[in-house]
Amino acid sequence: MTDMAILYRGVSKVYPDGTTAVDHLDLDIPAGSLTVFVGPSGCGKTTSLRMLNRMVEPTSGTVEINGQDVSSIPAAKLRRSMGYVMQQSGLLPHRTVEDNIATVPRLNGVSKRTARADARQLLASVGLDESLATRYPAQLSGGQQQRVGVARALAADPPILLMDEPFSAVDPVVRQDLQRELLDLQKRLHRTIVFVTHDIDEAVLLGNRVAVFARGGRLAQYTTPEELLRAPADDFVADFIGRDRGFRSLGFDSATVALQPVAAIVSGTGERILLGPGMRDGATGDGGTDDGGAAAGRVAPWQSAAATDPDWLLVVDERRHPLGWLPVSATGEPAPSDQLRVGGTLWHDGDSLRTALDAALSSPSGQAVAVNGDGSVAGVVPGGDVMRAIEEQRSARYDRPEHP
Amino acid sequence: MNWLTNNWHTVLDLAGAHLVQSVLPVVLGLLVSVPLARLAAGSRWLRPLLVTGSSLLYTIPSLTLFVVLPLVLGTRMTSVVNVIVALTLYVVAILVRSCVDAFESLDRDVLQAATAMGYRPARRFFGVELPLAVPVMVAGLRVATVSNISMVSVGAVIGIQSLGTLFTDGLRRSIVAEILVGIVATVLIAVVLDQLLRLLGQVLTRWQRPGTGAREAGGRRRRDTRGPGRTAGGARDATGALAAVESGGARA
Amino acid sequence: MSLVADAAQFLTDPASWSGPSGIPQRLLEHVGYSALTMVIALAVAVPLGLWVGHTRRGGGVVVGLAGALRALPTLGLLTLFTLLMGLGLLPPILALVLLAVPPILSGTYSGIAAVSPALVDAARSMGMTERQVLTRVEIPVALPVILGGIRNAALQVLATVTIVAYINLGGLGRYLIDGLAVRDYARMLGSVVLVAVLALAADAVLALVQRLVTSPGLATAGDRP
């Protein structure tokens, strides 16, 4: 295992009124990992987080950071050594965006000019335009405020980042962006991040490791997200993870399935082509691809195209982006274009089995449409192939010989 | 206490005069402010006019009004009418502003729901808008009442009869007891009226928990803020508006 | 309307503008009493309001105290203190300080107490000391409300200083009391108009200060009623 950045040793928090917020917590958090504390409200996850920067003092037990008991470090100094992002961005309303980001460096004695210059650079790294630097928090959207909150937490370049439900107050679309950006940021920066959320999907998406807390401050399970979905420790965890955990666990297996060509028709021109691996999609009709011979995208008659479903025709636009599917009659004629069925979800080669399976399940033809990075069709995979791939992965996991 | 036993009749008379001069303006001011505020709420020209006007009026010292009003009204300078008119103006100045805010901060959904249920504008006003604006109005009324009671005594300086007469008379004749009786009586009236208004407010706002009401209705709608910052900023704004009402206080 | 003309004549007569009882001298006295009062009241009320607002302890006591002080009639205090302590500057300044403290105290307290707890929490978790939380977050955010209270107090004091002439001190109220004694209504009118102009001017200046020192990020908070 890598070295541990954070150690909880027998940590409890009991409030004067007798409620137990955290109950004998033992937890090791590796350096450079993104660890998520997840659980229902009142489970002690935020309390545990706030013990790290001494916003809460434990009733018993010790919290160590890099081998040092936090209670031996002056609170203000300790807090300046780590970044903190909270649900309500907590930005100072009377200061501009750049001065907000510069807060902790300024507390540490960095000159105003340097701190502001650094702040502007940080803006870009959290996906904000530099022109926002002189705005005030009230002039920003919720998502922008959270981004500034993240930039502020990063400003003093802290090795440890504490995030307390940072994305739960923004709308789902923005939340997805923020989650993706956090993962990108972590890939670049390799901080030790402790992230609190009540959303198990967010936990599974972001965490290298997930700590599930139960009511009463008990740590119910602490493991990787894959393991959590596949083998919940008890009924509480299984219940908390909720439905579809088998399906969701597919998200951790990358789909290694072979793409197949698909018969397609170009919307507008009505031109029929074959798209997929080994097919070069030439500019048809003007003879420009004749040298491509049999590998050219053109097929005539199109029914002869191997490995595609004769009952459906994929409709694409002139850039080969998928538009939907048309049913094909017994005589081989495609239905009129007003019968176009909207296509299913799309996946990229290398995406998870979950995405591939969903693409197959949501496709009218039962075939999962894969697209290239530019959005053009890369080929299809029949649903049956995806199921076979799932079965292979399962058997590989459980039938793996104990001794090679 | 000797002085009081000999003069309780005078004290009672003056207290009555004091009460009339301070309470009548509150009632008149309320009757003027509410319709005025309703008209001004959302109006493009009346709102800034009233807000600026009331702010300016509030800046004019009461003694100035006591002396200038006889000129305008044709009253004698020692007439209580001057005090009543002057204090009514102050009450309007305090109430109009907070009532406009209260009406404008009403939840648009509630109003639309009321209209959708078939309320006519007049019924909607008395049945929905007015009750919802009560917490802010009561807060404004309490400030206005306490400040009125203090201001009425100032009239004694230019010879208008009230409990303030006990101060000027007590000073001239060097009777400490007379002044003390005046102070105690003034404070007593202020406390009793303030508590009565508080009770009235509680009775009128049984539909909400005490304390949260004024904050909600006092909040000014901010148009250009979005996102989570709004919650924090909004709360500060609302409490700030109320704090501003409350720091209005007594003046001479 | 000849009264107005007489008052105007009083205000424009060069004789009114010179000498120990001239308008400049009275204006200076008026502003001087007011400034002295405000300095003392600020020194008492602001630290108390900051402390109670920051610790959030004793808020009820402060609100109650401010309310009780507010109900005290200033004229009553002025005459009482004068009888008890004799003539001089102390009795009126004491009475005026008691007038100025409530709005400053409740403005400061409620301004600080209204700062969002989440914001204070964020400031602490960034590693600010209690002192830094107060000076860098709570005071700047509460400043519009605090200044609103101070502005209110200043106006009340400027208006009320008029009555200290009643106990034979100076200030612009001198003309009012003297005019009253000799039934010179024009001079009384001139006096109260001067006080009103002074109040309006002071209010405008304070409003400007309030606007200048308020961060644009704080938008509309702290306006007067």
Side-chain angles (χ1 to χ4, degrees):
Chain A
M1 237 339 172
T2 47
D3 56 328
M4 293 298 160
I6 296 167
L7 304 179
Y8 289 90
R9 286 290 172 263
V11 172
S12 293
K13 178 70 189 180
V14 182
Y15 285 104
D17 66 357
T19 44
T20 304
V22 178
D23 190 13
H24 290 93
L25 177 66
D26 287 301
L27 195 67
D28 297 359
I29 295 175
S33 73
L34 201 168
T35 301
V36 181
F37 292 179
V38 67
S41 60
C43 67
K45 54 190 192 295
T46 296
T47 310
S48 302
L49 179 85
R50 287 164 71 89
M51 285 174 181
L52 291 175
N53 63 355
R54 290 188 63 191
M55 292 296 283
V56 172
E57 302 283 357
T59 321
S60 61
T62 57
V63 178
E64 282 179 27
I65 290 180
N66 296 325
Q68 213 178 348
D69 186 342
V70 292
S71 64
S72 68
I73 309 169
K77 184 174 171 241
L78 177 74
R79 291 169 192 161
R80 286 178 208 177
S81 73
M82 46 184 92
Y84 190 83
V85 187
M86 56 205 287
Q87 182 180 351
Q88 302 293 347
S89 62
L91 297 180
L92 307 178
H94 60 292
R95 292 196 185 163
T96 57
V97 165
E98 59 182 356
D99 286 342
N100 261 289
I101 298 175
T103 305
V104 179
R106 294 283 292 132
L107 288 175
N108 287 335
V110 175
S111 81
K112 195 168 199 158
R113 178 188 293 232
T114 315
R116 278 190 176 170
D118 293 348
R120 284 174 180 257
Q121 289 195 333
L122 270 169
L123 270 182
S125 73
V126 294
L128 288 177
D129 196 88
E130 211 182 287
S131 66
L132 296 178
T134 52
R135 297 254 189 107
Y136 287 92
Q139 298 164 330
L140 305 181
S141 70
Q144 288 171 329
Q145 291 186 15
Q146 285 309 122
R147 284 188 169 93
V148 175
V150 173
R152 180 172 69 176
L154 291 171
D157 203 22
I160 295 177
L161 208 57
L162 312 181
M163 307 184 87
D164 186 7
E165 307 211 17
F167 306 148
S168 53
V170 291
D171 67 78
V173 178
V174 177
R175 190 182 312 149
Q176 271 192 3
D177 290 346
L178 289 167
Q179 289 167 342
R180 210 173 9 240
E181 284 165 24
L182 177 65
L183 288 174
D184 286 350
L185 210 64
Q186 174 67 346
K187 258 184 217 154
R188 296 202 305 272
L189 302 177
H190 298 292
R191 298 300 148 96
T192 304
I193 300 179
V194 184
F195 188 108
V196 165
T197 180
H198 58 260
D199 177 356
I200 183 69
D201 286 322
E202 187 170 60
V204 166
L205 174 74
L206 295 177
N208 301 123
R209 294 177 75 78
V210 177
V212 183
F213 286 74
R215 285 215 168 74
R218 177 178 67 89
L219 177 63
Q221 190 169 7
Y222 178 46
T223 182
T224 60
E226 295 95 314
E227 203 53 34
L228 189 68
L229 291 175
R230 291 204 181 100
D234 55 25
D235 284 350
F236 167 78
V237 178
D239 211 42
F240 184 70
I241 296 169
R243 298 163 167 279
D244 311 325
R245 64 183 160 88
F247 178 59
R248 273 152 46 193
S249 71
L250 291 176
F252 296 101
D253 296 319
S254 63
T256 44
V257 281
L259 293 184
Q260 296 177 14
V262 60
I265 179 168
V266 179
S267 170
T269 65
E271 179 194 350
R272 296 188 189 173
I273 50 175
L274 204 55
L275 295 170
M279 301 296 148
R280 256 190 59 198
D281 176 27
T284 51
D286 53 22
T289 57
D290 282 356
D291 56 326
R298 231 170 347 149
V299 272
W302 69 276
Q303 289 98 328
S304 69
T308 57
D309 187 341
D311 296 335
W312 293 91
L313 197 54
L314 181 66
V315 183
V316 297
D317 64 13
E318 67 280 2
R319 290 177 303 152
R320 309 300 183 246
H321 288 199
L323 296 176
W325 295 85
L326 272 182
V328 174
S329 69
T331 59
E333 280 308 305
S337 60
D338 63 344
Q339 288 198 22
L340 178 83
R341 313 282 170 80
V342 173
T345 55
L346 304 171
W347 62 292
H348 298 82
D349 203 9
D351 273 356
S352 69
L353 275 172
R354 177 181 174 171
T355 320
L357 182 61
D358 190 69
L361 292 175
S362 63
S363 167
S365 70
Q367 303 179 65
V369 178
V371 290
N372 298 311
D374 65 355
S376 63
V377 174
V380 293
V381 175
D385 287 9
V386 182
M387 286 308 292
R388 262 189 298 281
I390 292 170
E391 179 55 24
E392 277 163 23
Q393 299 238 358
R394 188 199 63 78
S395 57
R397 184 175 309 119
Y398 291 104
D399 304 339
R400 197 180 298 140
E402 294 284 310
H403 309 286
Chain B
M1 284 303 97
N2 227 356
W3 184 89
L4 183 58
T5 38
N6 293 331
N7 297 278
W8 64 272
H9 218 277
T10 319
V11 173
L12 226 52
D13 279 352
L14 291 175
H18 202 105
L19 213 52
V20 169
Q21 291 171 65
S22 46
V23 173
L24 203 55
V26 174
V27 176
L28 293 175
L30 183 65
L31 290 179
V32 174
S33 309
V34 171
L36 211 56
R38 186 63 191 83
L39 282 178
S43 156
R44 195 160 295 180
W45 61 274
L46 191 56
R47 187 187 196 286
L49 189 78
L50 271 185
V51 168
T52 315
S54 60
S55 181
L56 274 180
L57 183 65
Y58 203 72
T59 312
I60 308 285
S62 54
L63 260 175
T64 303
L65 282 187
F66 293 166
V67 174
V68 170
L69 276 175
L71 212 61
V72 181
L73 303 172
T75 44
R76 279 183 308 111
M77 206 174 60
T78 50
S79 164
V80 294
V81 175
N82 305 329
V83 176
I84 290 170
V85 173
L87 296 192
T88 303
L89 288 174
Y90 286 130
V91 173
V92 172
I94 293 178
L95 276 187
V96 153
R97 180 75 178 270
S98 42
C99 285
V100 168
D101 284 347
F103 287 136
E104 287 183 348
S105 71
L106 292 183
D107 195 337
R108 248 159 251 283
D109 292 342
V110 173
L111 297 187
Q112 276 177 3
T115 314
M117 284 186 293
Y119 271 100
R120 284 170 199 284
R123 276 271 322 264
R124 193 184 81 168
F125 176 73
F126 287 107
V128 182
E129 296 178 48
L130 201 57
L132 289 175
V134 158
V136 167
M137 277 169 17
V138 170
L141 276 179
R142 289 177 65 181
V143 170
T145 305
V146 174
S147 110
N148 271 4
I149 291 165
S150 180
M151 274 193 274
V152 164
S153 35
V154 172
V157 170
I158 52 171
I160 304 170
Q161 299 279 304
S162 70
L163 285 172
T165 308
L166 298 178
F167 306 145
T168 51
D169 192 63
L171 180 69
R172 196 167 48 243
R173 302 198 292 163
S174 294
I175 307 174
V176 172
E178 184 175 2
I179 296 177
L180 277 177
V181 167
I183 292 176
V184 171
T186 314
V187 171
L188 214 59
I189 291 180
V191 169
V192 168
L193 286 184
D194 189 50
Q195 290 307 307
L196 281 178
L197 279 172
R198 191 177 62 84
L199 280 176
L200 181 73
Q202 273 179 4
V203 170
L204 290 177
T205 56
R206 270 171 307 185
W207 44 272
Q208 55 184 183
R209 279 182 295 116
T212 59
R215 217 174 299 143
E216 276 162 30
R220 213 166 301 137
R221 204 162 269 245
R222 291 168 68 178
R223 290 174 184 83
D224 52 357
T225 54
R226 285 163 292 153
R230 184 196 184 135
T231 338
R236 180 210 60 217
D237 204 21
T239 327
L242 205 69
V245 172
E246 279 162 2
S247 59
R251 54 205 313 249
Chain C
M1 282 296 114
S2 71
L3 270 175
V4 179
D6 289 349
Q9 208 216 325
F10 161 71
L11 289 178
T12 50
D13 185 357
S16 313
W17 289 84
S18 59
S21 64
I23 293 173
Q25 177 63 27
R26 295 295 182 218
L27 193 66
L28 215 60
E29 289 165 358
H30 202 103
V31 173
Y33 300 151
S34 306
L36 181 59
T37 304
M38 286 303 289
V39 167
I40 297 171
L42 286 170
V44 173
V46 170
L48 186 61
L50 290 180
W51 184 72
V52 174
H54 178 73
T55 59
R56 291 165 198 254
R57 250 176 293 168
V61 177
V62 161
V63 171
L65 181 74
L69 284 180
R70 206 169 266 167
L72 287 173
T74 307
L75 182 65
L77 296 180
L78 177 76
T79 51
L80 180 69
F81 294 158
T82 305
L83 271 193
L84 296 179
M85 306 177 205
L87 293 175
L89 207 51
L90 187 62
I93 295 296
L94 199 55
L96 289 168
V97 166
L98 288 175
L99 172 78
V101 161
I104 302 175
L105 185 60
S106 58
T108 308
Y109 159 72
S110 55
I112 297 283
V115 174
S116 141
L119 190 63
V120 175
D121 191 71
R124 276 196 194 113
S125 55
M126 280 190 293
M128 288 194 187
T129 61
E130 289 308 300
R131 194 190 178 82
Q132 285 167 331
V133 169
L134 184 67
T135 57
R136 299 193 185 197
V137 179
E138 288 177 322
I139 292 179
V141 171
L143 202 56
V145 180
I146 297 176
L147 287 175
I150 294 176
R151 191 172 150 195
N152 240 313
L155 279 184
Q156 292 178 30
V157 169
L158 278 173
T160 313
V161 162
T162 314
I163 63 171
V164 305
Y166 195 74
I167 54 161
N168 295 323
L169 280 171
L172 291 171
R174 196 67 264 151
Y175 303 121
L176 178 78
I177 304 300
D178 293 348
L180 185 68
V182 296
R183 304 263 166 235
D184 182 352
Y185 188 77
R187 202 171 351 153
M188 293 174 70
L189 201 56
S191 165
V192 295
V193 167
L194 280 172
V195 176
V197 170
L198 178 62
L200 284 169
D203 191 46
V205 170
L206 289 170
L208 193 68
V209 171
Q210 196 175 6
R211 188 165 305 177
L212 285 179
V213 301
T214 299
S215 158
L218 295 174
T220 56
D223 291 349
R224 292 174 60 237

